[in-house]
Amino acid sequence: MIMVIALALAGAVQGGVSSARAEDGGRQLLFYNHAYGVLDRETADAIEHSAFLRDFANFQVRSTTGAGGQTWTGRYLMGRETYIELFGTGDLPGKDGTLGSTGMGVSTEREGDLAKVTARLRELGISDPVEFRQTRDFGDGVPVPWFDAVFTTDQYDLFGAWGMEYRPEYFADPRGNTEPAAHPGDVGRERYLSDGYRDHLMRDVTGIRLAVTARDLANTVPLLKAGGFAVRSLPGGGAIAQGGGTTLRFDAVPLDQVGLRQVEMSLNRPVSYRHEERIGHSALVVGPGSRAVWTFGEQDRPSRSG
């Protein structure tokens, strides 16, 4: 997604919005939507062909065409409100296809909240946030407005986070397979995702751990704060952000150590057993209880020089 967003920046429309902190009362405006990671080829291929994942989660492998006709193919584990997107090395062009590249989208639940986030960013010293509109092509060559988004900057190493708000045009298009609005102004994650999760064990992503550079983390913290996450620093320069039922942990590391490290998930029902599934250079542990943890261990990562 970072690659696609970067390509859209040339057509981005910059605009001012009025300060809204008094209007929204300091409530949380952004919530974890999804994250992605670029994994080694062996792990990505093992994920793509895993029978276990197809049983465990609403698992999909699909191609999407975004702005400018750019197409990407991802491996998706879809929950009730949240999901994770996985790529293999080289699946995305340029540095976005580099082993360890990651990204994360945090989205609004109410129409109009992204404008409030942008106003908060300016209050936090981000004088020129990057705003743009992403589109999606369902195969007929006609781009449909998909979501509006904002970055704190267009400069990044191998991680970037963006705030996003789904467009009403996308919800109105039946090809999106979205749900009816639960209330006026509903642009929420649960409406966007299908109820396919009900037929599987995985319910939602509750935690993400990412290793990122100090520069990429510094560019991300203002967005999380503007969105209402509670952010605290960690020894060594990392940070933890909490809000909306999801915990985001960022470890500040050198560029050659970046990457997706762990995904925590809730389950639709508790299980009495503990099952560990090795998938390429990763381990998914399910149970006991209502929790699963998927670890992408550094000890399993192939050397970039070999």
Side-chain angles (χ1 to χ4, degrees):
M1 188 66 74
I2 292 288
M3 173 273 298
V4 178
I5 288 171
L7 290 170
L9 294 182
V13 178
Q14 305 292 332
V17 294
S18 60
S19 177
R21 182 172 296 277
E23 297 175 18
D24 59 58
R27 64 179 172 84
Q28 186 161 347
L29 302 176
L30 294 176
F31 300 81
Y32 171 84
N33 184 289
H34 72 282
Y36 78 79
V38 177
L39 311 174
D40 64 275
R41 176 53 55 187
E42 180 182 347
T43 302
D45 289 347
I47 290 170
E48 183 168 340
H49 300 290
S50 171
F52 179 83
L53 288 178
R54 283 170 168 77
D55 181 62
F56 170 72
N58 180 13
F59 179 81
Q60 305 172 15
V61 179
R62 71 167 189 265
S63 296
T64 304
T65 300
Q70 295 297 317
T71 300
W72 63 96
T73 299
R75 303 146 188 86
Y76 299 83
L77 278 74
M78 317 289 284
R80 179 178 182 270
E81 294 182 315
T82 59
Y83 65 99
I84 185 77
E85 181 179 14
L86 303 168
F87 297 100
T89 306
D91 281 351
L92 300 174
K95 71 177 182 179
D96 293 310
T98 304
L99 176 66
S101 178
T102 54
M104 182 181 68
V106 283
S107 64
T108 65
E109 295 284 292
R110 304 184 193 179
E111 187 175 7
D113 277 357
L114 191 64
K116 298 175 182 178
V117 170
T118 306
R120 286 188 182 183
L121 283 174
R122 291 191 169 95
E123 292 174 2
L124 291 170
I126 307 300
S127 59
D128 192 24
V130 180
E131 302 175 64
F132 68 96
R133 179 166 296 171
Q134 178 63 290
T135 63
R136 181 172 180 179
D137 184 342
F138 285 100
D140 58 3
V142 180
V144 176
W146 189 359
F147 58 83
D148 292 330
V150 62
F151 268 111
T152 62
T153 178
D154 60 359
Q155 301 298 309
Y156 63 97
D157 294 322
L158 286 176
F159 169 78
W162 60 95
M164 54 188 288
E165 182 169 297
Y166 292 117
R167 293 289 307 172
E169 297 95 329
Y170 187 85
F171 285 120
D173 194 310
R175 294 172 296 178
N177 295 316
T178 57
E179 300 175 4
H183 53 78
D186 179 11
V187 293
R189 301 162 296 166
E190 198 276 333
R191 183 184 179 193
Y192 174 76
L193 294 177
S194 79
D195 288 335
Y197 75 95
R198 294 177 177 175
D199 300 324
H200 303 273
L201 194 55
M202 174 191 160
R203 182 175 180 85
D204 261 321
V205 175
T206 57
I208 288 285
R209 184 171 182 177
L210 301 167
V212 303
T213 64
R215 179 174 84 148
D216 286 345
L217 178 56
N219 289 335
T220 301
V221 167
L223 177 66
L224 298 176
K225 289 184 175 180
F229 282 88
V231 182
R232 62 183 175 88
S233 299
L234 294 174
I240 287 182
Q242 294 177 302
T246 308
T247 298
L248 313 174
R249 173 166 177 157
F250 303 92
D251 300 322
V253 300
L255 184 61
D256 63 355
Q257 296 177 24
V258 300
L260 174 64
R261 288 189 170 172
Q262 195 170 79
V263 181
E264 297 184 11
M265 293 161 278
S266 61
L267 306 180
N268 280 315
R269 62 183 183 278
V271 296
S272 59
Y273 55 82
R274 179 188 187 276
H275 174 79
E276 179 173 341
E277 184 77 10
R278 299 292 301 187
I279 310 173
H281 299 281
S282 72
L284 173 57
V285 177
V286 180
S290 299
R291 180 171 175 261
V293 180
W294 197 353
T295 302
F296 304 83
E298 287 189 293
Q299 69 276 9
D300 291 329
R301 291 187 62 173
S303 169
R304 293 192 180 186
S305 60

